[in-house]
Structures are given as C-alpha cells and as structure tokens.
Amino acid sequence: MSIDVYLNFNGNCREAVEYYAEIFGTEEPQIMSFGDTPPDPNFTLPEEAKDLVMHARLQIQGSNVMFSDTFPGMPFVVGNNISLAIVSKDLDDVKSLFAKLQEGGKVGMELQETFWSACYGNLTDKFGIEWQFNYDNGQFTM
C-alpha cells in the first residue's frame, strides 16, 4: 500500500505535467483527458471538458505524483488543490481505512466500481484533509 500525492489544476494540468516530467527527467507522461473516457449515456460531457486532463501520473524521485484538472464547474482553490491517495492491493484495507476516515468527515464518492478501478471512493476527513481510495487489483493500468 502507498499514499500518493494528487495535484489538481484549473485547466493547465497538461502544461504542469509536461513541465514536471522535464524538470525531474521522468518518463514521457501518459495523459488521459476527460474526452478519452468511455461515453456515459446518462451524462453528456461538456465540450470545454474534453481536452482537460482527467488523470496523469509521474514517478518523481521514487514517489507517485498524480495530476488532474478540475472538472468545469467544480471549485478550485489554490493551496487546497492537493489530496492524498491510498492505493492498495488489499481491498479490505481500502474498505477499512475509508470507513474509519469517513467518521466525522464528508464522503464525496462512496466506494464503488469505476472504469479505472474495481473499488474507488473519496472523502474529506474531520480535519479537512481530502483522501482518495483506490483498490489496485492489477486490472487497470492508468
């Protein structure tokens, strides 16, 4: 299990990821935009979201650093655009930590299957720290 840093940007994520990849001499970043995601018949993707970065990840000095743009209409506050991501190969750990940290906090997304994870969810704990939880069962590569 690891705890990774997740950085959010306000429309300039692609520029930031490419900048950090160059500065730290990392691999070529793999960048998934919101427009690259599987279509959802229940939700029409706004045109202004299609080129925004949904997810990118770099290995920087031995740590996973993940990146995304905020979705149009979602709040963005410089300084509060960082969350911690629990990534675990143990589903019970994911569920247990989620349950413990949600006490006194606010769930943003209940644990559930997504197109990128068999079990993902997020919350803000009682101290205002944002957490993402991702079960890594090896099926998804992004």
Side-chain angles (χ1 to χ4, degrees):
M1 175 170 39
S2 65
I3 297 179
D4 301 330
V5 176
Y6 208 109
L7 305 174
N8 294 102
F9 295 84
N10 196 23
N12 60 343
C13 183
R14 186 176 306 273
E15 177 185 357
V17 170
E18 291 170 352
Y19 172 79
Y20 293 129
E22 181 180 336
I23 293 295
F24 291 103
T26 71
E27 74 282 356
E28 184 76 21
Q30 293 183 27
I31 298 173
M32 174 187 275
S33 70
F34 286 104
D36 294 332
T37 62
D40 180 346
N42 300 313
F43 177 75
T44 302
L45 187 66
E47 193 63 38
E48 66 270 22
K50 290 182 179 177
D51 291 329
L52 295 176
V53 174
M54 184 190 145
H55 181 75
R57 179 178 51 218
L58 296 175
Q59 277 285 102
I60 298 177
Q61 304 292 315
S63 295
N64 271 327
V65 180
M66 298 181 284
F67 306 81
S68 70
D69 279 311
T70 54
F71 197 77
M74 298 297 291
F76 177 84
V77 179
V78 173
N80 290 346
N81 53 326
I82 297 172
S83 61
L84 300 176
I86 299 285
V87 180
S88 178
K89 295 181 184 302
D90 185 329
L91 183 57
D92 290 334
D93 275 349
V94 169
K95 290 178 178 180
S96 174
L97 292 169
F98 187 91
K100 290 174 185 176
L101 283 170
Q102 78 177 345
E103 290 181 27
K106 181 180 177 191
V107 173
M109 181 177 178
E110 291 288 348
L111 290 174
Q112 60 190 271
E113 185 173 346
T114 65
F115 70 86
W116 69 86
S117 175
C119 184
Y120 171 86
N122 64 61
L123 59 83
T124 302
D125 72 17
K126 66 182 181 179
F127 297 105
I129 304 299
E130 293 187 27
W131 295 87
Q132 298 184 54
F133 298 82
N134 195 51
Y135 169 53
D136 179 8
N137 62 356
Q139 289 183 310
F140 304 91
T141 60
M142 191 67 183

PDB file of all heavy atoms in Angstrom, residues 103-141:
ATOM      1  N   GLU A 103     -15.629   8.826   9.397  1.00  0.00           N
ATOM      2  CA  GLU A 103     -16.259   9.199  10.665  1.00  0.00           C
ATOM      3  C   GLU A 103     -15.944  10.668  10.995  1.00  0.00           C
ATOM      4  O   GLU A 103     -14.788  11.043  11.124  1.00  0.00           O
ATOM      5  CB  GLU A 103     -15.781   8.289  11.790  1.00  0.00           C
ATOM      6  CG  GLU A 103     -16.301   6.879  11.665  1.00  0.00           C
ATOM      7  CD  GLU A 103     -15.843   5.972  12.787  1.00  0.00           C
ATOM      8  OE1 GLU A 103     -15.573   6.477  13.895  1.00  0.00           O
ATOM      9  OE2 GLU A 103     -15.762   4.751  12.536  1.00  0.00           O
ATOM     10  N   GLY A 104     -16.985  11.467  11.074  1.00  0.00           N
ATOM     11  CA  GLY A 104     -16.825  12.885  11.353  1.00  0.00           C
ATOM     12  C   GLY A 104     -16.461  13.706  10.127  1.00  0.00           C
ATOM     13  O   GLY A 104     -16.309  14.918  10.206  1.00  0.00           O
ATOM     14  N   GLY A 105     -16.311  13.035   8.989  1.00  0.00           N
ATOM     15  CA  GLY A 105     -15.954  13.716   7.744  1.00  0.00           C
ATOM     16  C   GLY A 105     -17.123  13.753   6.780  1.00  0.00           C
ATOM     17  O   GLY A 105     -18.282  13.588   7.172  1.00  0.00           O
ATOM     18  N   LYS A 106     -16.806  13.943   5.496  1.00  0.00           N
ATOM     19  CA  LYS A 106     -17.839  14.041   4.467  1.00  0.00           C
ATOM     20  C   LYS A 106     -17.419  13.217   3.259  1.00  0.00           C
ATOM     21  O   LYS A 106     -16.352  13.453   2.675  1.00  0.00           O
ATOM     22  CB  LYS A 106     -18.045  15.495   4.057  1.00  0.00           C
ATOM     23  CG  LYS A 106     -19.115  15.678   3.010  1.00  0.00           C
ATOM     24  CD  LYS A 106     -19.283  17.127   2.629  1.00  0.00           C
ATOM     25  CE  LYS A 106     -20.323  17.232   1.525  1.00  0.00           C
ATOM     26  NZ  LYS A 106     -20.353  18.562   0.934  1.00  0.00           N
ATOM     27  N   VAL A 107     -18.251  12.262   2.888  1.00  0.00           N
ATOM     28  CA  VAL A 107     -17.972  11.406   1.737  1.00  0.00           C
ATOM     29  C   VAL A 107     -18.300  12.163   0.456  1.00  0.00           C
ATOM     30  O   VAL A 107     -19.397  12.703   0.305  1.00  0.00           O
ATOM     31  CB  VAL A 107     -18.786  10.089   1.811  1.00  0.00           C
ATOM     32  CG1 VAL A 107     -18.625   9.279   0.543  1.00  0.00           C
ATOM     33  CG2 VAL A 107     -18.360   9.275   3.029  1.00  0.00           C
ATOM     34  N   GLY A 108     -17.343  12.216  -0.456  1.00  0.00           N
ATOM     35  CA  GLY A 108     -17.576  12.812  -1.770  1.00  0.00           C
ATOM     36  C   GLY A 108     -18.103  11.777  -2.751  1.00  0.00           C
ATOM     37  O   GLY A 108     -18.994  12.046  -3.547  1.00  0.00           O
ATOM     38  N   MET A 109     -17.557  10.563  -2.685  1.00  0.00           N
ATOM     39  CA  MET A 109     -17.975   9.458  -3.555  1.00  0.00           C
ATOM     40  C   MET A 109     -17.814   8.160  -2.774  1.00  0.00           C
ATOM     41  O   MET A 109     -16.721   7.840  -2.327  1.00  0.00           O
ATOM     42  CB  MET A 109     -17.120   9.430  -4.829  1.00  0.00           C
ATOM     43  CG  MET A 109     -17.468   8.364  -5.804  1.00  0.00           C
ATOM     44  SD  MET A 109     -16.403   8.544  -7.270  1.00  0.00           S
ATOM     45  CE  MET A 109     -16.939   7.156  -8.226  1.00  0.00           C
ATOM     46  N   GLU A 110     -18.921   7.469  -2.554  1.00  0.00           N
ATOM     47  CA  GLU A 110     -18.864   6.179  -1.858  1.00  0.00           C
ATOM     48  C   GLU A 110     -17.965   5.218  -2.637  1.00  0.00           C
ATOM     49  O   GLU A 110     -17.812   5.350  -3.857  1.00  0.00           O
ATOM     50  CB  GLU A 110     -20.261   5.568  -1.743  1.00  0.00           C
ATOM     51  CG  GLU A 110     -21.192   6.311  -0.810  1.00  0.00           C
ATOM     52  CD  GLU A 110     -20.852   6.149   0.665  1.00  0.00           C
ATOM     53  OE1 GLU A 110     -20.028   5.275   1.023  1.00  0.00           O
ATOM     54  OE2 GLU A 110     -21.431   6.896   1.471  1.00  0.00           O
ATOM     55  N   LEU A 111     -17.389   4.247  -1.945  1.00  0.00           N
ATOM     56  CA  LEU A 111     -16.592   3.227  -2.610  1.00  0.00           C
ATOM     57  C   LEU A 111     -17.458   2.511  -3.637  1.00  0.00           C
ATOM     58  O   LEU A 111     -18.568   2.088  -3.327  1.00  0.00           O
ATOM     59  CB  LEU A 111     -16.045   2.217  -1.595  1.00  0.00           C
ATOM     60  CG  LEU A 111     -14.977   2.727  -0.646  1.00  0.00           C
ATOM     61  CD1 LEU A 111     -14.641   1.656   0.389  1.00  0.00           C
ATOM     62  CD2 LEU A 111     -13.724   3.158  -1.389  1.00  0.00           C
ATOM     63  N   GLN A 112     -16.941   2.419  -4.862  1.00  0.00           N
ATOM     64  CA  GLN A 112     -17.691   1.791  -5.943  1.00  0.00           C
ATOM     65  C   GLN A 112     -16.778   1.454  -7.106  1.00  0.00           C
ATOM     66  O   GLN A 112     -15.659   1.960  -7.204  1.00  0.00           O
ATOM     67  CB  GLN A 112     -18.799   2.721  -6.425  1.00  0.00           C
ATOM     68  CG  GLN A 112     -18.289   4.052  -6.960  1.00  0.00           C
ATOM     69  CD  GLN A 112     -19.423   5.016  -7.198  1.00  0.00           C
ATOM     70  OE1 GLN A 112     -19.992   5.021  -8.278  1.00  0.00           O
ATOM     71  NE2 GLN A 112     -19.758   5.819  -6.187  1.00  0.00           N
ATOM     72  N   GLU A 113     -17.261   0.605  -7.995  1.00  0.00           N
ATOM     73  CA  GLU A 113     -16.510   0.261  -9.196  1.00  0.00           C
ATOM     74  C   GLU A 113     -16.608   1.411 -10.193  1.00  0.00           C
ATOM     75  O   GLU A 113     -17.667   2.029 -10.350  1.00  0.00           O
ATOM     76  CB  GLU A 113     -17.055  -1.018  -9.833  1.00  0.00           C
ATOM     77  CG  GLU A 113     -16.230  -1.472 -11.012  1.00  0.00           C
ATOM     78  CD  GLU A 113     -16.645  -2.825 -11.550  1.00  0.00           C
ATOM     79  OE1 GLU A 113     -17.393  -3.546 -10.869  1.00  0.00           O
ATOM     80  OE2 GLU A 113     -16.205  -3.148 -12.667  1.00  0.00           O
ATOM     81  N   THR A 114     -15.480   1.729 -10.823  1.00  0.00           N
ATOM     82  CA  THR A 114     -15.427   2.737 -11.872  1.00  0.00           C
ATOM     83  C   THR A 114     -14.746   2.115 -13.082  1.00  0.00           C
ATOM     84  O   THR A 114     -14.275   0.977 -13.013  1.00  0.00           O
ATOM     85  CB  THR A 114     -14.613   3.966 -11.417  1.00  0.00           C
ATOM     86  OG1 THR A 114     -13.255   3.557 -11.232  1.00  0.00           O
ATOM     87  CG2 THR A 114     -15.179   4.568 -10.133  1.00  0.00           C
ATOM     88  N   PHE A 115     -14.629   2.848 -14.158  1.00  0.00           N
ATOM     89  CA  PHE A 115     -13.951   2.276 -15.322  1.00  0.00           C
ATOM     90  C   PHE A 115     -12.448   2.182 -15.112  1.00  0.00           C
ATOM     91  O   PHE A 115     -11.759   1.481 -15.831  1.00  0.00           O
ATOM     92  CB  PHE A 115     -14.282   3.040 -16.620  1.00  0.00           C
ATOM     93  CG  PHE A 115     -13.694   4.416 -16.704  1.00  0.00           C
ATOM     94  CD1 PHE A 115     -12.410   4.610 -17.169  1.00  0.00           C
ATOM     95  CD2 PHE A 115     -14.436   5.520 -16.319  1.00  0.00           C
ATOM     96  CE1 PHE A 115     -11.870   5.879 -17.243  1.00  0.00           C
ATOM     97  CE2 PHE A 115     -13.905   6.794 -16.395  1.00  0.00           C
ATOM     98  CZ  PHE A 115     -12.622   6.961 -16.855  1.00  0.00           C
ATOM     99  N   TRP A 116     -11.902   2.858 -14.084  1.00  0.00           N
ATOM    100  CA  TRP A 116     -10.468   2.790 -13.831  1.00  0.00           C
ATOM    101  C   TRP A 116     -10.119   1.941 -12.604  1.00  0.00           C
ATOM    102  O   TRP A 116      -8.952   1.677 -12.343  1.00  0.00           O
ATOM    103  CB  TRP A 116      -9.851   4.177 -13.695  1.00  0.00           C
ATOM    104  CG  TRP A 116     -10.258   4.922 -12.451  1.00  0.00           C
ATOM    105  CD1 TRP A 116      -9.677   4.842 -11.216  1.00  0.00           C
ATOM    106  CD2 TRP A 116     -11.330   5.844 -12.306  1.00  0.00           C
ATOM    107  NE1 TRP A 116     -10.325   5.651 -10.322  1.00  0.00           N
ATOM    108  CE2 TRP A 116     -11.356   6.292 -10.962  1.00  0.00           C
ATOM    109  CE3 TRP A 116     -12.287   6.354 -13.184  1.00  0.00           C
ATOM    110  CZ2 TRP A 116     -12.281   7.200 -10.494  1.00  0.00           C
ATOM    111  CZ3 TRP A 116     -13.210   7.271 -12.703  1.00  0.00           C
ATOM    112  CH2 TRP A 116     -13.198   7.681 -11.374  1.00  0.00           C
ATOM    113  N   SER A 117     -11.093   1.541 -11.821  1.00  0.00           N
ATOM    114  CA  SER A 117     -10.801   0.790 -10.597  1.00  0.00           C
ATOM    115  C   SER A 117     -11.976  -0.100 -10.219  1.00  0.00           C
ATOM    116  O   SER A 117     -13.134   0.288 -10.380  1.00  0.00           O
ATOM    117  CB  SER A 117     -10.517   1.763  -9.450  1.00  0.00           C
ATOM    118  OG  SER A 117     -10.335   1.070  -8.230  1.00  0.00           O
ATOM    119  N   ALA A 118     -11.665  -1.263  -9.663  1.00  0.00           N
ATOM    120  CA  ALA A 118     -12.713  -2.148  -9.154  1.00  0.00           C
ATOM    121  C   ALA A 118     -13.328  -1.583  -7.876  1.00  0.00           C
ATOM    122  O   ALA A 118     -14.438  -1.952  -7.504  1.00  0.00           O
ATOM    123  CB  ALA A 118     -12.139  -3.539  -8.889  1.00  0.00           C
ATOM    124  N   CYS A 119     -12.618  -0.651  -7.216  1.00  0.00           N
ATOM    125  CA  CYS A 119     -13.149  -0.026  -5.999  1.00  0.00           C
ATOM    126  C   CYS A 119     -12.444   1.314  -5.790  1.00  0.00           C
ATOM    127  O   CYS A 119     -11.250   1.360  -5.507  1.00  0.00           O
ATOM    128  CB  CYS A 119     -12.939  -0.934  -4.794  1.00  0.00           C
ATOM    129  SG  CYS A 119     -13.675  -0.289  -3.277  1.00  0.00           S
ATOM    130  N   TYR A 120     -13.205   2.397  -5.927  1.00  0.00           N
ATOM    131  CA  TYR A 120     -12.671   3.752  -5.759  1.00  0.00           C
ATOM    132  C   TYR A 120     -13.684   4.565  -4.964  1.00  0.00           C
ATOM    133  O   TYR A 120     -14.887   4.392  -5.091  1.00  0.00           O
ATOM    134  CB  TYR A 120     -12.438   4.427  -7.119  1.00  0.00           C
ATOM    135  CG  TYR A 120     -12.087   5.888  -6.975  1.00  0.00           C
ATOM    136  CD1 TYR A 120     -10.774   6.277  -6.769  1.00  0.00           C
ATOM    137  CD2 TYR A 120     -13.065   6.872  -6.995  1.00  0.00           C
ATOM    138  CE1 TYR A 120     -10.441   7.610  -6.589  1.00  0.00           C
ATOM    139  CE2 TYR A 120     -12.750   8.204  -6.812  1.00  0.00           C
ATOM    140  CZ  TYR A 120     -11.433   8.569  -6.610  1.00  0.00           C
ATOM    141  OH  TYR A 120     -11.107   9.880  -6.426  1.00  0.00           O
ATOM    142  N   GLY A 121     -13.196   5.488  -4.153  1.00  0.00           N
ATOM    143  CA  GLY A 121     -14.052   6.433  -3.447  1.00  0.00           C
ATOM    144  C   GLY A 121     -13.209   7.581  -2.926  1.00  0.00           C
ATOM    145  O   GLY A 121     -11.975   7.521  -2.935  1.00  0.00           O
ATOM    146  N   ASN A 122     -13.859   8.647  -2.489  1.00  0.00           N
ATOM    147  CA  ASN A 122     -13.115   9.769  -1.911  1.00  0.00           C
ATOM    148  C   ASN A 122     -13.927  10.429  -0.804  1.00  0.00           C
ATOM    149  O   ASN A 122     -15.146  10.319  -0.760  1.00  0.00           O
ATOM    150  CB  ASN A 122     -12.680  10.772  -2.987  1.00  0.00           C
ATOM    151  CG  ASN A 122     -13.840  11.433  -3.678  1.00  0.00           C
ATOM    152  OD1 ASN A 122     -14.642  12.119  -3.062  1.00  0.00           O
ATOM    153  ND2 ASN A 122     -13.943  11.245  -4.987  1.00  0.00           N
ATOM    154  N   LEU A 123     -13.199  11.101   0.077  1.00  0.00           N
ATOM    155  CA  LEU A 123     -13.846  11.784   1.192  1.00  0.00           C
ATOM    156  C   LEU A 123     -12.937  12.883   1.723  1.00  0.00           C
ATOM    157  O   LEU A 123     -11.750  12.942   1.395  1.00  0.00           O
ATOM    158  CB  LEU A 123     -14.179  10.791   2.314  1.00  0.00           C
ATOM    159  CG  LEU A 123     -13.048  10.001   2.967  1.00  0.00           C
ATOM    160  CD1 LEU A 123     -12.330  10.789   4.055  1.00  0.00           C
ATOM    161  CD2 LEU A 123     -13.606   8.724   3.565  1.00  0.00           C
ATOM    162  N   THR A 124     -13.526  13.744   2.531  1.00  0.00           N
ATOM    163  CA  THR A 124     -12.783  14.744   3.289  1.00  0.00           C
ATOM    164  C   THR A 124     -12.934  14.362   4.748  1.00  0.00           C
ATOM    165  O   THR A 124     -14.058  14.187   5.238  1.00  0.00           O
ATOM    166  CB  THR A 124     -13.349  16.159   3.038  1.00  0.00           C
ATOM    167  OG1 THR A 124     -13.285  16.438   1.639  1.00  0.00           O
ATOM    168  CG2 THR A 124     -12.557  17.207   3.803  1.00  0.00           C
ATOM    169  N   ASP A 125     -11.792  14.199   5.434  1.00  0.00           N
ATOM    170  CA  ASP A 125     -11.865  13.753   6.830  1.00  0.00           C
ATOM    171  C   ASP A 125     -12.260  14.906   7.751  1.00  0.00           C
ATOM    172  O   ASP A 125     -12.442  16.048   7.324  1.00  0.00           O
ATOM    173  CB  ASP A 125     -10.568  13.059   7.268  1.00  0.00           C
ATOM    174  CG  ASP A 125      -9.378  13.996   7.454  1.00  0.00           C
ATOM    175  OD1 ASP A 125      -9.544  15.233   7.568  1.00  0.00           O
ATOM    176  OD2 ASP A 125      -8.239  13.480   7.484  1.00  0.00           O
ATOM    177  N   LYS A 126     -12.396  14.617   9.040  1.00  0.00           N
ATOM    178  CA  LYS A 126     -12.876  15.613  10.001  1.00  0.00           C
ATOM    179  C   LYS A 126     -11.911  16.769  10.187  1.00  0.00           C
ATOM    180  O   LYS A 126     -12.278  17.796  10.759  1.00  0.00           O
ATOM    181  CB  LYS A 126     -13.180  14.955  11.346  1.00  0.00           C
ATOM    182  CG  LYS A 126     -11.983  14.388  12.070  1.00  0.00           C
ATOM    183  CD  LYS A 126     -12.431  13.724  13.371  1.00  0.00           C
ATOM    184  CE  LYS A 126     -11.275  13.169  14.144  1.00  0.00           C
ATOM    185  NZ  LYS A 126     -11.734  12.547  15.397  1.00  0.00           N
ATOM    186  N   PHE A 127     -10.677  16.645   9.683  1.00  0.00           N
ATOM    187  CA  PHE A 127      -9.711  17.736   9.763  1.00  0.00           C
ATOM    188  C   PHE A 127      -9.619  18.527   8.452  1.00  0.00           C
ATOM    189  O   PHE A 127      -8.787  19.414   8.325  1.00  0.00           O
ATOM    190  CB  PHE A 127      -8.330  17.195  10.143  1.00  0.00           C
ATOM    191  CG  PHE A 127      -8.314  16.560  11.499  1.00  0.00           C
ATOM    192  CD1 PHE A 127      -8.268  15.188  11.623  1.00  0.00           C
ATOM    193  CD2 PHE A 127      -8.373  17.331  12.654  1.00  0.00           C
ATOM    194  CE1 PHE A 127      -8.273  14.586  12.869  1.00  0.00           C
ATOM    195  CE2 PHE A 127      -8.382  16.739  13.908  1.00  0.00           C
ATOM    196  CZ  PHE A 127      -8.330  15.358  14.013  1.00  0.00           C
ATOM    197  N   GLY A 128     -10.460  18.172   7.464  1.00  0.00           N
ATOM    198  CA  GLY A 128     -10.472  18.879   6.188  1.00  0.00           C
ATOM    199  C   GLY A 128      -9.476  18.348   5.170  1.00  0.00           C
ATOM    200  O   GLY A 128      -9.278  18.971   4.132  1.00  0.00           O
ATOM    201  N   ILE A 129      -8.855  17.184   5.441  1.00  0.00           N
ATOM    202  CA  ILE A 129      -7.905  16.592   4.500  1.00  0.00           C
ATOM    203  C   ILE A 129      -8.673  15.732   3.503  1.00  0.00           C
ATOM    204  O   ILE A 129      -9.500  14.899   3.889  1.00  0.00           O
ATOM    205  CB  ILE A 129      -6.843  15.731   5.231  1.00  0.00           C
ATOM    206  CG1 ILE A 129      -6.126  16.553   6.300  1.00  0.00           C
ATOM    207  CG2 ILE A 129      -5.877  15.089   4.239  1.00  0.00           C
ATOM    208  CD1 ILE A 129      -5.373  17.750   5.782  1.00  0.00           C
ATOM    209  N   GLU A 130      -8.400  15.945   2.219  1.00  0.00           N
ATOM    210  CA  GLU A 130      -9.058  15.167   1.176  1.00  0.00           C
ATOM    211  C   GLU A 130      -8.287  13.884   0.909  1.00  0.00           C
ATOM    212  O   GLU A 130      -7.063  13.900   0.771  1.00  0.00           O
ATOM    213  CB  GLU A 130      -9.181  15.992  -0.099  1.00  0.00           C
ATOM    214  CG  GLU A 130     -10.118  17.169   0.074  1.00  0.00           C
ATOM    215  CD  GLU A 130     -10.380  17.909  -1.216  1.00  0.00           C
ATOM    216  OE1 GLU A 130     -10.293  17.303  -2.298  1.00  0.00           O
ATOM    217  OE2 GLU A 130     -10.671  19.106  -1.129  1.00  0.00           O
ATOM    218  N   TRP A 131      -9.028  12.761   0.852  1.00  0.00           N
ATOM    219  CA  TRP A 131      -8.459  11.437   0.624  1.00  0.00           C
ATOM    220  C   TRP A 131      -9.146  10.775  -0.559  1.00  0.00           C
ATOM    221  O   TRP A 131     -10.355  10.883  -0.719  1.00  0.00           O
ATOM    222  CB  TRP A 131      -8.666  10.546   1.852  1.00  0.00           C
ATOM    223  CG  TRP A 131      -7.941  10.992   3.070  1.00  0.00           C
ATOM    224  CD1 TRP A 131      -8.367  11.879   4.019  1.00  0.00           C
ATOM    225  CD2 TRP A 131      -6.637  10.571   3.490  1.00  0.00           C
ATOM    226  NE1 TRP A 131      -7.425  12.023   4.998  1.00  0.00           N
ATOM    227  CE2 TRP A 131      -6.352  11.224   4.698  1.00  0.00           C
ATOM    228  CE3 TRP A 131      -5.698   9.686   2.960  1.00  0.00           C
ATOM    229  CZ2 TRP A 131      -5.162  11.035   5.388  1.00  0.00           C
ATOM    230  CZ3 TRP A 131      -4.516   9.493   3.649  1.00  0.00           C
ATOM    231  CH2 TRP A 131      -4.249  10.163   4.849  1.00  0.00           C
ATOM    232  N   GLN A 132      -8.353  10.076  -1.368  1.00  0.00           N
ATOM    233  CA  GLN A 132      -8.873   9.223  -2.423  1.00  0.00           C
ATOM    234  C   GLN A 132      -8.449   7.793  -2.093  1.00  0.00           C
ATOM    235  O   GLN A 132      -7.365   7.575  -1.562  1.00  0.00           O
ATOM    236  CB  GLN A 132      -8.308   9.622  -3.774  1.00  0.00           C
ATOM    237  CG  GLN A 132      -8.680  11.033  -4.184  1.00  0.00           C
ATOM    238  CD  GLN A 132      -8.171  11.347  -5.561  1.00  0.00           C
ATOM    239  OE1 GLN A 132      -8.442  10.630  -6.512  1.00  0.00           O
ATOM    240  NE2 GLN A 132      -7.419  12.432  -5.667  1.00  0.00           N
ATOM    241  N   PHE A 133      -9.311   6.828  -2.396  1.00  0.00           N
ATOM    242  CA  PHE A 133      -9.042   5.422  -2.107  1.00  0.00           C
ATOM    243  C   PHE A 133      -9.165   4.637  -3.395  1.00  0.00           C
ATOM    244  O   PHE A 133     -10.162   4.762  -4.106  1.00  0.00           O
ATOM    245  CB  PHE A 133     -10.049   4.885  -1.081  1.00  0.00           C
ATOM    246  CG  PHE A 133      -9.959   5.583   0.232  1.00  0.00           C
ATOM    247  CD1 PHE A 133     -10.586   6.801   0.429  1.00  0.00           C
ATOM    248  CD2 PHE A 133      -9.228   5.042   1.276  1.00  0.00           C
ATOM    249  CE1 PHE A 133     -10.497   7.469   1.636  1.00  0.00           C
ATOM    250  CE2 PHE A 133      -9.128   5.699   2.491  1.00  0.00           C
ATOM    251  CZ  PHE A 133      -9.762   6.910   2.671  1.00  0.00           C
ATOM    252  N   ASN A 134      -8.151   3.838  -3.681  1.00  0.00           N
ATOM    253  CA  ASN A 134      -8.141   3.091  -4.929  1.00  0.00           C
ATOM    254  C   ASN A 134      -7.615   1.684  -4.682  1.00  0.00           C
ATOM    255  O   ASN A 134      -6.494   1.503  -4.205  1.00  0.00           O
ATOM    256  CB  ASN A 134      -7.256   3.811  -5.952  1.00  0.00           C
ATOM    257  CG  ASN A 134      -7.467   3.319  -7.349  1.00  0.00           C
ATOM    258  OD1 ASN A 134      -8.599   3.259  -7.818  1.00  0.00           O
ATOM    259  ND2 ASN A 134      -6.395   2.972  -8.023  1.00  0.00           N
ATOM    260  N   TYR A 135      -8.444   0.699  -4.986  1.00  0.00           N
ATOM    261  CA  TYR A 135      -8.035  -0.702  -4.901  1.00  0.00           C
ATOM    262  C   TYR A 135      -7.300  -1.044  -6.185  1.00  0.00           C
ATOM    263  O   TYR A 135      -7.850  -0.929  -7.278  1.00  0.00           O
ATOM    264  CB  TYR A 135      -9.272  -1.588  -4.710  1.00  0.00           C
ATOM    265  CG  TYR A 135      -9.019  -3.054  -4.877  1.00  0.00           C
ATOM    266  CD1 TYR A 135      -8.020  -3.696  -4.158  1.00  0.00           C
ATOM    267  CD2 TYR A 135      -9.800  -3.811  -5.731  1.00  0.00           C
ATOM    268  CE1 TYR A 135      -7.796  -5.054  -4.302  1.00  0.00           C
ATOM    269  CE2 TYR A 135      -9.589  -5.160  -5.879  1.00  0.00           C
ATOM    270  CZ  TYR A 135      -8.591  -5.780  -5.168  1.00  0.00           C
ATOM    271  OH  TYR A 135      -8.382  -7.122  -5.316  1.00  0.00           O
ATOM    272  N   ASP A 136      -6.050  -1.445  -6.051  1.00  0.00           N
ATOM    273  CA  ASP A 136      -5.212  -1.802  -7.200  1.00  0.00           C
ATOM    274  C   ASP A 136      -5.163  -3.316  -7.323  1.00  0.00           C
ATOM    275  O   ASP A 136      -4.339  -3.973  -6.715  1.00  0.00           O
ATOM    276  CB  ASP A 136      -3.797  -1.228  -7.016  1.00  0.00           C
ATOM    277  CG  ASP A 136      -2.866  -1.587  -8.159  1.00  0.00           C
ATOM    278  OD1 ASP A 136      -3.325  -2.145  -9.175  1.00  0.00           O
ATOM    279  OD2 ASP A 136      -1.659  -1.313  -8.020  1.00  0.00           O
ATOM    280  N   ASN A 137      -6.070  -3.871  -8.142  1.00  0.00           N
ATOM    281  CA  ASN A 137      -6.081  -5.308  -8.330  1.00  0.00           C
ATOM    282  C   ASN A 137      -5.312  -5.733  -9.580  1.00  0.00           C
ATOM    283  O   ASN A 137      -5.372  -6.884  -9.997  1.00  0.00           O
ATOM    284  CB  ASN A 137      -7.525  -5.838  -8.401  1.00  0.00           C
ATOM    285  CG  ASN A 137      -8.306  -5.282  -9.576  1.00  0.00           C
ATOM    286  OD1 ASN A 137      -7.813  -4.441 -10.327  1.00  0.00           O
ATOM    287  ND2 ASN A 137      -9.528  -5.749  -9.737  1.00  0.00           N
ATOM    288  N   GLY A 138      -4.583  -4.803 -10.179  1.00  0.00           N
ATOM    289  CA  GLY A 138      -3.757  -5.108 -11.331  1.00  0.00           C
ATOM    290  C   GLY A 138      -4.476  -5.136 -12.662  1.00  0.00           C
ATOM    291  O   GLY A 138      -3.861  -5.323 -13.695  1.00  0.00           O
ATOM    292  N   GLN A 139      -5.797  -4.902 -12.681  1.00  0.00           N
ATOM    293  CA  GLN A 139      -6.556  -4.942 -13.932  1.00  0.00           C
ATOM    294  C   GLN A 139      -6.460  -3.646 -14.740  1.00  0.00           C
ATOM    295  O   GLN A 139      -6.642  -3.657 -15.927  1.00  0.00           O
ATOM    296  CB  GLN A 139      -8.039  -5.231 -13.658  1.00  0.00           C
ATOM    297  CG  GLN A 139      -8.302  -6.634 -13.212  1.00  0.00           C
ATOM    298  CD  GLN A 139      -9.795  -6.849 -13.032  1.00  0.00           C
ATOM    299  OE1 GLN A 139     -10.469  -6.057 -12.379  1.00  0.00           O
ATOM    300  NE2 GLN A 139     -10.303  -7.899 -13.630  1.00  0.00           N
ATOM    301  N   PHE A 140      -6.218  -2.549 -14.050  1.00  0.00           N
ATOM    302  CA  PHE A 140      -6.259  -1.256 -14.707  1.00  0.00           C
ATOM    303  C   PHE A 140      -4.862  -0.660 -14.723  1.00  0.00           C
ATOM    304  O   PHE A 140      -4.130  -0.773 -13.746  1.00  0.00           O
ATOM    305  CB  PHE A 140      -7.245  -0.322 -13.992  1.00  0.00           C
ATOM    306  CG  PHE A 140      -8.612  -0.913 -13.891  1.00  0.00           C
ATOM    307  CD1 PHE A 140      -8.997  -1.674 -12.787  1.00  0.00           C
ATOM    308  CD2 PHE A 140      -9.535  -0.740 -14.916  1.00  0.00           C
ATOM    309  CE1 PHE A 140     -10.262  -2.228 -12.692  1.00  0.00           C
ATOM    310  CE2 PHE A 140     -10.795  -1.302 -14.830  1.00  0.00           C
ATOM    311  CZ  PHE A 140     -11.161  -2.051 -13.726  1.00  0.00           C
ATOM    312  N   THR A 141      -4.491  -0.018 -15.824  1.00  0.00           N
ATOM    313  CA  THR A 141      -3.100   0.440 -15.968  1.00  0.00           C
ATOM    314  C   THR A 141      -2.923   1.942 -15.840  1.00  0.00           C
ATOM    315  O   THR A 141      -1.810   2.401 -15.692  1.00  0.00           O
ATOM    316  CB  THR A 141      -2.527   0.007 -17.335  1.00  0.00           C
ATOM    317  OG1 THR A 141      -3.335   0.580 -18.375  1.00  0.00           O
ATOM    318  CG2 THR A 141      -2.499  -1.501 -17.449  1.00  0.00           C
TER     319      THR A 141
END
